[in-house]
Amino acid sequence: MAASVTKDSLLFEDVLERCCGTGRWQVMLIAYMSVMWLIFPTFAMSMMFVGASPPFKCADGFDVNATFASLPDDLPKCHPLGDNSSSCTRWVFDKSMYESTVVTEWNLVCGRKPMLSMLQSVLMLGGIAGALLGGQLTDRFGRRPVFLPVMLLVMACSFSAALVGDYVSFAVIRGITGFCMSTMIASQYVLVTELSGCKHRAALTTVTFLPFSFGTMLVAAASYGIRTRWLLQLAFAVPSLLFLPNFWLMPESPRWLVLQGRLDEALAILHQAAHWNRRKMPPDEEVLKLMEEARRGLLAREAALKGTNKSSAVQRILDMVLTARMRIYTLVTCFVSFAIAGSYFGISFDITQLSSSPHLAVALSGLVEIPAAFVYPLMDRLGRRLSQSGFLLVTAICMFSTFIKENRTLWTVLGLIAKLGVTSAFNIICIYVSEYMPTQQRGLAMGIMQTAARIGGAVSPFVVDLVSGLHELAPSAVFGAVVLLAGLATLLLPETAGRPMPETVADVEEAYRRRKAASAPADRRLSGRSNAAMQPDGAL
């Protein structure tokens, strides 16, 4: 049975590799779909400028036309002059750097400061709903039918954010945007993974993140040139129009179509890929036969594991934790994703304090992420598991090293190295999860990964704000400890470099049994030699 399972899976991989291997079709298609990562920083990273907090003074008791420069320098910030028992009700802000931000528009200072942190967190909280629901929808209805509607919704939110004039509406738009982003990621990334051949999967799926670095630098550049909040957000919204060609260019996953029994549709997509890649496909009858054989094998293995070949949404969720290996993989995925995202955004929030120019600091943080998009040679050479664990350990070392010496330049260098390490780990885990999770749960697994990552991103602003009150380097210690544990937890995952992706939960369990059986003879031989060495000479 094990041999039959492997053969069916490999036949299906061979068909995809022949028609959807590395070629012009994949390169052009994945390059275009990666444009969304160029646009996403306008949502995820823009609060560093849209939510910037300029210097301010309490203006209670002064003329209504008073400005920041006209008031005394020693004025208190959060209570009126000479009245420490009362809270300030009117503030004036320094407009030398920012003409307006959400802080100046809605007075998000002093007792209202947590409302500012919440604007970043609500994006992540919306992403949690999108990750949970989006993963389910992509597994049930396909990648394309889920991506396109939320794509239109995120475009509408982009322009609406520039027009609203109250805090509640802005926060609601941020939450909806987070939902749409997370759903788009779950759909797009799984599709990119399933369109990539086994040999070049790491390269194609890693490079897809590269535009995010340039998007972060463009956010810094646009914010440097536009200092008014609504105009800046309008400028951020215009690039979202680049999403529209997805209606004509984005295909459905042929792998998902085969599992759903829609073989003719999968065949049409493979023909298109073969045409653009200038590759000769086998005859249609042969391809359809191979896909049908692979599908029967996949459904048979799934039915053997759970007694049915029909998987409901509830069953797919239960499959993530019912078997031993899937339970370990799911728990490790959640924790590692939480640690990586929390550290990534925590470092990003602090990076603006590393330079006298926040725009330069953010541009540098985007620049240092570019090498992280080219980690795939290391992933292929060392493997996914050691690469991810190594980058997380480097990040932890950099964070703990900030305690060696109180030097701002040293902290800047360590912070940038840590940003490179955690970004590399983030790029790897997105590939890694899609490779060790089975096809029927892959969309759900990506959704769970995004959920854990969003929780980490939602918590990190509050960690920075609250823990930094104990010591300015306390957040570094917290994030360093978390990524250290994540690096060790990664060692519990399987190596997937150069191996076919599992199709079902049964494949995951079978692959573990094969690895365990392969290592058992060596262990027994080693044990036998040890026992023989301990025998007395007469016994021999």
Side-chain angles (χ1 to χ4, degrees):
M1 179 67 180
S4 175
V5 170
T6 304
K7 182 180 178 183
D8 287 341
S9 298
L10 289 175
L11 284 172
F12 188 49
E13 286 288 322
D14 288 341
V15 173
L16 288 178
E17 184 65 27
R18 182 179 301 180
C19 301
C20 296
T22 302
R24 291 186 301 169
W25 187 68
Q26 280 76 20
V27 172
M28 291 188 296
L29 188 61
I30 293 175
Y32 167 70
M33 288 193 295
S34 300
V35 168
M36 81 174 198
W37 291 102
L38 181 70
I39 299 172
F40 277 177
T42 62
F43 311 125
M45 312 303 287
S46 61
M47 282 303 296
M48 284 185 258
F49 303 109
V50 171
S53 297
F56 61 94
K57 300 174 184 177
C58 180
D60 284 356
F62 292 91
D63 185 80
V64 68
N65 295 321
T67 64
F68 182 87
S70 67
L71 296 181
D73 292 336
D74 58 349
L75 277 181
K77 294 183 176 181
C78 297
H79 56 81
L81 183 64
D83 186 2
N84 295 340
S85 62
S86 300
S87 299
C88 186
T89 59
R90 186 167 66 91
W91 292 269
V92 291
F93 295 88
D94 182 5
K95 295 187 176 183
S96 61
M97 180 170 291
Y98 302 101
E99 184 65 27
S100 67
T101 68
V102 294
V103 174
T104 64
E105 288 185 25
W106 302 315
N107 294 324
L108 305 183
V109 294
C110 298
R112 294 167 61 87
K113 188 175 181 180
M115 296 173 67
L116 174 61
S117 299
M118 183 56 65
L119 287 179
Q120 178 65 23
S121 294
V122 76
L123 182 81
M124 304 298 172
L125 295 175
I128 293 174
L132 291 173
L133 185 59
Q136 289 280 351
L137 292 175
T138 57
D139 284 337
R140 187 173 183 84
F141 299 107
R143 299 12 172 170
R144 175 184 162 88
V146 173
F147 183 92
L148 296 179
V150 295
M151 176 194 76
L152 293 177
L153 187 55
V154 81
M155 292 172 62
C157 289
S158 300
F159 287 94
S160 299
L163 303 177
V164 297
D166 65 283
Y167 176 87
V168 174
S169 298
F170 187 80
V172 169
I173 289 173
R174 293 277 294 175
I176 296 174
T177 301
F179 172 85
C180 295
M181 286 176 58
S182 189
T183 305
M184 290 173 69
I185 291 171
S187 301
Q188 184 259 8
Y189 197 79
V190 170
L191 177 59
V192 169
T193 301
E194 294 179 338
L195 290 176
S196 305
C198 183
K199 181 179 179 181
H200 302 282
R201 189 188 305 144
L204 290 174
T205 50
T206 304
V207 173
T208 191
F209 292 120
L210 181 60
F212 192 90
S213 304
F214 292 100
T216 301
M217 290 186 283
L218 289 175
V219 165
S223 302
Y224 182 80
I226 304 174
R227 306 300 178 96
T228 302
R229 196 272 304 178
W230 75 271
L231 280 177
L232 179 60
Q233 296 216 279
L234 185 61
F236 288 158
V238 172
S240 67
L241 297 174
L242 294 173
F243 284 141
L244 289 176
N246 275 297
F247 278 103
W248 299 275
L249 299 178
M250 185 179 188
E252 184 51 85
S253 166
R255 180 187 292 267
W256 182 85
L257 290 172
V258 167
L259 285 173
Q260 302 303 312
R262 295 158 61 177
L263 304 185
D264 290 337
E265 296 176 57
L267 181 64
I269 295 174
L270 296 183
H271 269 297
Q272 183 184 29
H275 171 74
W276 280 95
N277 293 342
R278 298 177 180 175
R279 297 189 182 187
K280 183 179 180 180
M281 280 185 61
D284 288 356
E285 295 77 10
E286 181 180 344
V287 176
L288 288 171
K289 182 179 179 181
L290 290 174
M291 290 192 294
E292 183 59 41
E293 289 177 358
R295 180 173 181 270
R296 283 198 301 266
L298 300 175
L299 294 177
R301 291 194 298 274
E302 196 68 19
L305 180 68
K306 56 188 178 185
T308 177
N309 60 3
K310 296 181 179 179
S311 55
S312 64
V314 174
Q315 185 63 56
R316 286 197 299 273
I317 294 175
L318 292 177
D319 285 342
M320 301 293 292
V321 296
L322 280 181
T323 63
R325 285 297 102 190
M326 287 296 293
R327 187 159 51 247
I328 292 174
Y329 295 172
T330 300
L331 292 176
V332 172
T333 298
C334 290
F335 176 69
V336 173
S337 301
F338 172 87
I340 290 175
S343 301
Y344 176 87
F345 285 102
I347 295 172
S348 298
F349 297 151
D350 279 342
I351 205 73
T352 56
Q353 303 175 16
L354 302 178
S355 172
S356 58
S357 170
H359 301 90
L360 176 61
V362 173
L364 289 175
S365 71
L367 182 65
V368 80
E369 290 184 20
I370 294 177
F374 298 96
V375 297
Y376 57 86
L378 188 63
M379 293 168 58
D380 288 335
R381 186 175 182 84
L382 296 182
R384 277 57 159 162
R385 181 174 58 181
L386 290 180
S387 297
Q388 179 174 289
S389 180
F391 279 118
L392 289 173
L393 293 178
V394 168
T395 301
I397 291 171
C398 289
M399 290 184 171
F400 290 134
S401 297
T402 57
F403 289 88
I404 295 176
K405 184 178 181 181
E406 186 174 350
N407 185 292
R408 295 285 175 178
T409 302
L410 176 63
W411 291 353
T412 301
V413 173
L414 291 173
L416 293 175
I417 297 174
K419 185 73 179 294
L420 172 62
V422 76
T423 304
S424 300
F426 179 82
N427 290 347
I428 293 172
I429 193 174
C430 290
I431 302 169
Y432 201 11
V433 171
S434 65
E435 289 182 338
Y436 63 70
M437 288 295 186
T439 297
Q440 292 192 341
Q441 280 74 35
R442 191 165 296 131
L444 177 59
M446 293 297 291
I448 291 175
M449 184 195 76
Q450 289 295 325
T451 300
R454 300 295 178 181
I455 293 175
V459 170
S460 59
F462 294 98
V463 171
V464 172
D465 291 340
L466 299 178
V467 179
S468 59
L470 302 176
H471 189 280
E472 61 181 340
L473 294 179
S476 296
V478 172
F479 293 129
V482 171
V483 294
L484 175 61
L485 293 176
L488 297 176
T490 298
L491 299 177
L492 297 174
L493 298 174
E495 183 51 64
T496 61
R499 300 174 185 175
M501 294 185 293
E503 305 291 350
T504 66
V505 173
D507 286 348
V508 172
E509 299 297 325
E510 179 64 26
Y512 172 72
R513 284 193 290 269
R514 287 199 303 268
R515 291 195 303 270
K516 188 175 181 181
S519 62
D523 293 340
R524 284 195 295 267
R525 287 195 301 269
L526 189 62
S527 176
R529 285 195 294 267
S530 299
N531 292 335
M534 290 188 294
Q535 293 290 336
D537 292 341
L540 298 176

